[in-house]
Amino acid sequence: MGRAQRPGRLRTLGRLTAATALAVAALTGYTITAGPAQAASQGPCDIYASAGTPCVAAHSTTRALYASYSGNLYQVRRASDNTTLNIGVTSAGGYANAAAQDSFCAGTSCVITEIYDQSGRGNNLTDAPAGGAQPGPDKLAVANAAPTTLDGHEAYGVAIIPGTGYRDDATNGIATGDNPESEYAVLDGQDYNGGCCFDYGNAETNNNDDGNGTMEAIYFGNIKVWGYGAGNGPWIMADMENGLYSGANAGYNANDPTTNYRYTTAMVEGGANQWDILGGNAQSGTLATDYSGTRPNVSGYNPMHKQGAIILGIGGDNSDGVDGTFYEGVMTTGYASASTEAAVQANIVAAGYGAGGTTGGGGGTTGEIHATASGRCLDDPNASTTGGTRVQIYDCWGGANQTWTHTSSGQLTVTDSGTTDCLDAYGNGTTNGTKVDIWPCNGQANQQWNINSNGTITGAQSGLCLDVEGGATANGTLIQLYTCWGGTNQQWSLS
């Protein structure tokens, strides 16, 4: 989208009129499975290839998207010495080797420098250069800011915050002009905002707004400047440049529902004067068709003028004011059938996102949060209900002001005198030393927290660790955000 746009995140699916994918029940539990993952018998790109619509780009930081893929998924760079490490899979067709990242990044911080294309076409994503809307290059995602699990195996997504984005302007095989393509992405359906533009898909090759129809990307978010759907959002829409579309007309489409599954499947398909949006729960069930019909009834979209670059977390002109989390996604050549998209959805569900382990979306856990170094509890001082009150550590005594609930949306809530507030990164801060306070819950990313298997609690927006200031252990020591470095003052347990 262009500079004036403020779209949200797009989730689009293919031409699905009667999805027939098998519903796969989401697994439960809280134990990280040791040992290598077993190879999949089929990946999403095997399904697309067998249907004659092969992947021409396949990106994931969590798993292999082909049953035979044994290469690298992504690369990380650590701050301590600027060295890099490629993160591969534990076995062909398997899950990301997250343990390698944990070891490499221990005691320092890491960013994701490159996301490799598994299709063999070399369409790798790196930090986005300057564009018409924003100077660049963009920032890189903090490598441990979006922890997740797949069938109990630890992995990390790509946490996009404002100013972060990835791109490839010199691609191979991506659809151009009015040629057909299909796109899907697995996203965190509870990490979004109303900025421009959390996109994944086809964009301009010169990083500028080149007019109507020069893009075709999945968008996800809750902006209403262009198109929007039912409820308060977020919605899956298509970013076709100079418009986020939920249907044939600019503006409202009652059939495009609010979609906020913790793990959300979003798909967009497009061909000659025909396109579709589909979406669903990436943990269970089948796809729904949110739109299927002709191109927007505004000049410039029929025929399309796609240019074939690939973007992640930004708009076509490098508009980068968004929040979102990406786990996997592909682009194909050709318009996938309903049965193909149904099979892909079943494959995503079978991957077991969020099953086992402890992640930001686990939710439902209530108790005290103990600081490992001191044994004291995370405490809302004097059971305050005043927004902006900084939290501290204090002797555990079982009071409501020390009882925290990790919700399904990743919030840490505390209820005092009948008022429920959220643990909050003050002022949406994302730098070392940001104060941690209580604030009325508002659904923003600075109130979402990942409780990780390594004992840290990280901000979903910043990727920084919940940190006891100065490593002190006394009652009343305040809490801040700080770069994760492995110290005991950043270790916590939720009982």
Side-chain angles (χ1 to χ4, degrees):
M1 283 298 299
R3 180 176 313 174
Q5 299 170 336
R6 298 276 309 165
R9 207 169 22 179
L10 168 68
R11 136 175 115 58
T12 53
L13 290 172
R15 179 183 38 183
L16 210 58
T17 55
T20 57
L22 296 177
V24 181
L27 303 176
T28 59
Y30 289 94
T31 302
I32 299 285
T33 302
Q38 299 206 353
S41 59
Q42 253 191 335
C45 287
D46 299 310
I47 295 169
Y48 281 120
S50 66
T53 53
C55 294
V56 289
H59 304 108
S60 176
T61 57
T62 63
R63 66 168 179 147
L65 301 178
Y66 294 83
S68 62
Y69 188 77
S70 59
N72 294 314
L73 301 180
Y74 62 103
Q75 182 186 85
V76 296
R77 184 180 68 223
R78 64 187 177 196
S80 58
D81 58 7
N82 285 324
T83 59
T84 59
L85 178 71
N86 288 327
I87 305 299
V89 291
T90 54
S91 61
Y95 301 110
N97 186 1
Q101 175 182 313
D102 291 340
S103 177
F104 181 74
C105 300
T108 185
S109 62
C110 284
V111 292
I112 298 173
T113 53
E114 190 163 6
I115 305 169
Y116 295 114
D117 172 20
Q118 299 178 32
S119 77
R121 291 180 173 267
N123 295 321
N124 302 336
L125 298 174
T126 56
D127 56 331
Q134 297 290 342
D138 287 347
K139 295 185 293 186
L140 297 168
V142 175
N144 67 346
T148 186
T149 56
L150 288 84
D151 197 19
H153 297 270
E154 180 189 14
Y156 294 99
V158 183
I160 300 294
I161 62 174
T164 305
Y166 294 83
R167 193 176 195 122
D168 183 4
D169 286 328
T171 59
N172 175 9
I174 305 301
T176 58
D178 206 35
N179 290 321
E181 66 179 351
S182 301
E183 303 166 344
Y184 89 75
V186 176
L187 310 169
D188 182 342
Q190 296 168 354
D191 183 15
Y192 63 92
N193 69 4
C196 178
C197 305
F198 189 84
D199 289 352
Y200 173 72
N202 197 321
E204 297 96 335
T205 56
N206 61 4
N207 311 328
N208 292 315
D209 178 348
D210 286 342
N212 296 0
T214 55
M215 289 182 61
E216 185 170 61
I218 297 169
Y219 162 86
F220 188 77
N222 68 341
I223 193 170
K224 285 188 173 183
V225 172
W226 296 276
Y228 60 98
N232 296 319
W235 306 286
I236 300 169
M237 295 189 283
D239 189 343
M240 299 187 197
E241 192 53 276
N242 296 326
L244 297 176
Y245 286 92
S246 60
N249 303 311
Y252 178 61
N253 174 15
N255 293 319
D256 190 12
T258 289
T259 305
N260 57 0
Y261 300 109
R262 170 61 178 85
Y263 297 94
T264 293
T265 304
M267 296 184 180
V268 170
E269 295 182 335
N273 201 26
Q274 170 71 28
W275 68 286
D276 305 317
I277 298 173
L278 296 97
N281 187 343
Q283 293 180 297
S284 65
T286 58
L287 298 170
T289 301
D290 300 341
Y291 173 78
S292 181
T294 59
R295 292 287 183 181
N297 58 359
V298 178
S299 63
Y301 298 106
N302 182 31
M304 293 286 283
H305 315 284
K306 295 176 286 194
Q307 295 186 12
I310 306 172
I311 54 174
L312 171 60
I314 54 174
D317 62 356
N318 197 33
S319 300
D320 59 3
V322 297
D323 291 311
T325 300
F326 172 91
Y327 299 106
E328 65 178 74
V330 311
M331 301 170 67
T332 78
T333 180
Y335 206 123
S337 68
S339 59
T340 300
E341 299 291 29
V344 168
Q345 165 68 358
N347 181 275
I348 293 168
V349 169
Y353 273 100
T358 303
T359 72
T365 303
T366 299
E368 296 172 335
I369 298 178
H370 297 267
T372 298
S374 65
R376 292 189 164 90
C377 278
L378 187 67
D379 179 280
D380 172 17
N382 301 313
S384 174
T385 58
T386 302
T389 299
R390 291 191 67 181
V391 295
Q392 61 182 6
I393 55 170
Y394 206 85
D395 289 335
C396 301
W397 67 283
N401 68 319
Q402 295 182 346
T403 302
W404 301 84
T405 296
H406 193 219
T407 72
S408 60
S409 59
Q411 297 169 323
L412 281 166
T413 63
V414 62
T415 301
D416 294 318
S417 302
T419 300
T420 298
D421 290 303
C422 276
L423 193 69
D424 175 279
Y426 186 78
N428 283 283
T430 57
T431 58
N432 284 341
T434 295
K435 300 173 184 178
V436 178
D437 64 340
I438 62 161
W439 196 266
C441 299
N442 55 30
Q444 295 182 4
N446 68 316
Q447 295 183 348
Q448 294 173 343
W449 305 90
N450 299 310
I451 299 178
N452 306 313
S453 58
N454 63 4
T456 61
I457 299 177
T458 50
Q461 183 182 61
S462 66
L464 301 177
C465 271
L466 207 63
D467 177 286
V468 181
E469 284 190 356
T473 59
N475 280 338
T477 304
L478 298 174
I479 309 302
Q480 63 180 358
L481 292 180
Y482 207 85
T483 300
C484 300
W485 65 280
T488 56
N489 68 318
Q490 295 182 343
Q491 298 289 313
W492 306 87
S493 60
L494 176 62
S495 64

